[in-house]
Amino acid sequence: MPEAQKEYCINALREFDKAMEHVPLDKKREYLEALQKVPSLVATESDPLQFIRYCDYNFWLAAERMCNYWMYRRELFQQRAHLPMTIDGTGALDDTDVLYLSAGWPALLPKTTCGRYVVLFDPSKQLNNVDRNCRRRASFYCANLIAKDERAQTPKGVVFLVNLIQPRMHVIDLVFSEKGLSKVDSVFPIRFDAHFLCKLPKTMRGTIREVSGGLVTKQAYIYKLISFCSRPRGQHFQPVIHYESEDGQFLRALMGLGMRKEDIPKCFGGTWSFAQARMWCKNQVKKEKEQRDSRKLRKRKKAEGNDNCGGGSKWTTQRQRTINAIHSRKKRERRRQEEEMVKQESKKLAKTNAYLKEENCRLQALLEEAYHHTLAE
């Protein structure tokens, strides 16, 4: 990275830290907890620069979105929230979450010709009798992976495909989907180019049983789906709806987005199959294990190198000073945040105490008034 760009990033991070100081304590509690317990994970899996770029260098909005990210991560993963976001068996996702990914919900398709990520949601790949939060955790994993690419923070950075309506209808939980889309708009540093693909059934006769248990006509249900998906959700999620009245329309539309035919799912006229989603998961597990082993090897070599230096070289001394400076800075930052938390709690308790004293005086006055009134009678 050029020196000028490096200096610019340092200044941006400094402004981000200042903005974070002004976020209310109750909104950044999960972020501060993660920063204290796993600072390296916060730096690698929620890089502040991702949020700064997404928010067009509005540092206050970026700080709020970062806090939303850790709040949602804690809500979804509970006690596993501070583990790495991996699917190799040692991270935040469990076997059922990985099963959802292997089934293709969601599916990360090959990148477009200009390098944009493509993510596909197909309702037919939802697993029955499985905790619905598995869908959210699998989606969170993919979003976390995508956000590391700087293109994800550019306008229409990620192609978002939904196989909304098929000749063989699948019921979609719209309430659950609305919650998921609202998280996309408020949590992740990703800008979507959203496309909903609809291939209408040949006949509108018949009924559909919704998630709530009620029966509606097929026509009414399709209208409800299209109305649901047509609504804009935030500045960076403007949906486009495609209809296929003749073969090849979907294929041409997706190739117009920069996708190759071999990377387009078969249901849209391409040759990509969901067996490739399972293969992607296997390759991803292998990649994550190699990365973990590589990190361990680097640590071991570094430790051996320090031992061989004997502690007397100028390079080792300078390196140790740098490490000590970093640790001291992190320690001061944690202490400052803890002091800030105590101050905010103190102010809150002082306000509550003042209110209670005032209320006590008011009630005491009412009690005395009632007593004198009783004596007068």
Side-chain angles (χ1 to χ4, degrees), residues 237-264:
F237 196 93
Q238 303 294 325
V240 178
I241 298 181
H242 302 268
Y243 299 94
E244 185 172 66
S245 56
E246 60 181 37
D247 291 343
Q249 282 183 290
F250 285 165
L251 182 63
R252 289 192 293 272
L254 296 182
M255 291 183 74
L257 296 174
M259 297 180 68
R260 293 169 286 263
K261 185 175 181 179
E262 60 269 24
D263 301 332
I264 295 173

Side-chain angles (χ1 to χ4, degrees), residues 74-86:
R74 184 67 169 167
E75 174 191 333
L76 270 187
F77 294 93
Q78 299 294 321
Q79 69 273 15
R80 299 172 71 92
H82 294 157
L83 293 176
M85 197 57 55
T86 60

Side-chain angles (χ1 to χ4, degrees), residues 350-376:
K351 285 183 180 180
T352 304
N353 189 45
Y355 170 76
L356 290 174
K357 283 183 177 180
E358 184 180 342
E359 187 68 8
N360 183 56
C361 291
R362 187 181 69 83
L363 293 174
Q364 189 67 33
L366 288 174
L367 184 62
E368 289 180 3
E369 183 182 345
Y371 176 72
H372 290 307
H373 183 70
T374 304
L375 288 178

Side-chain angles (χ1 to χ4, degrees), residues 319-335:
R319 179 178 173 279
Q320 190 60 45
R321 285 176 181 171
T322 304
I323 292 173
N324 291 341
I326 292 171
H327 281 297
S328 297
R329 183 164 59 85
K330 288 181 178 179
K331 189 175 181 180
R332 286 195 300 272
E333 178 65 16
R334 284 198 298 270
R335 188 183 297 119

Side-chain angles (χ1 to χ4, degrees), residues 22-195:
H22 297 284
V23 177
L25 178 62
D26 59 330
K27 291 186 177 180
K28 62 180 178 181
R29 199 180 302 276
E30 289 80 8
Y31 166 73
L32 292 177
E33 180 189 21
L35 193 64
Q36 183 176 6
K37 292 182 177 179
V38 283
S40 60
L41 200 67
V42 173
T44 56
E45 296 197 354
S46 57
D47 182 359
L49 289 174
Q50 297 173 7
F51 297 88
I52 292 170
R53 286 192 295 265
Y54 176 88
C55 296
D56 295 323
Y57 290 82
N58 185 322
F59 301 105
W60 291 269
L61 291 180
E64 288 179 1
R65 185 168 283 263
M66 168 77 90
C67 295
N68 291 342
Y69 168 91
W70 279 102
M71 190 183 298
Y72 186 47
R73 181 163 173 160
R74 184 67 169 167
E75 174 191 333
L76 270 187
F77 294 93
Q78 299 294 321
Q79 69 273 15
R80 299 172 71 92
H82 294 157
L83 293 176
M85 197 57 55
T86 60
I87 58 174
D88 62 358
T90 64
L93 282 81
D94 61 25
D95 293 342
T96 310
D97 302 332
V98 178
L99 186 63
Y100 241 107
L101 275 173
S102 298
W105 179 277
L108 284 183
L109 305 182
K111 292 181 179 180
T112 64
T113 52
C114 61
R116 291 198 294 169
Y117 269 103
V118 182
V119 58
L120 169 67
F121 289 86
D122 189 332
S124 68
K125 299 304 173 183
Q126 296 179 18
L127 303 177
N128 297 324
N129 303 320
V130 175
D131 180 11
R132 295 189 304 175
N133 280 326
C134 290
R135 298 184 215 169
R136 289 180 176 175
R137 289 191 287 268
S139 301
F140 192 105
Y141 172 82
C142 290
N144 206 72
L145 187 65
I146 291 170
K148 294 178 181 180
D149 186 348
E150 288 189 24
R151 293 186 189 88
Q153 286 93 51
T154 60
K156 296 187 175 181
V158 177
V159 180
F160 180 94
L161 302 179
V162 179
N163 192 7
L164 184 64
I165 299 174
Q166 308 164 50
R168 185 179 178 183
M169 296 291 295
H170 291 274
V171 178
I172 299 175
D173 188 341
L174 296 183
V175 175
F176 186 83
S177 299
E178 180 62 45
K179 290 180 180 178
L181 290 174
S182 69
K183 293 299 182 184
V184 167
D185 184 45
S186 63
V187 172
F188 299 108
I190 299 174
R191 300 187 183 188
F192 285 105
D193 182 14
H195 297 266

Side-chain angles (χ1 to χ4, degrees), residues 277-290:
R278 292 191 291 275
M279 185 57 64
W280 179 89
C281 282
K282 290 181 180 178
N283 291 337
Q284 190 67 11
V285 168
K286 183 179 178 182
K287 181 180 177 181
E288 289 173 354
K289 287 182 177 178
E290 289 174 351

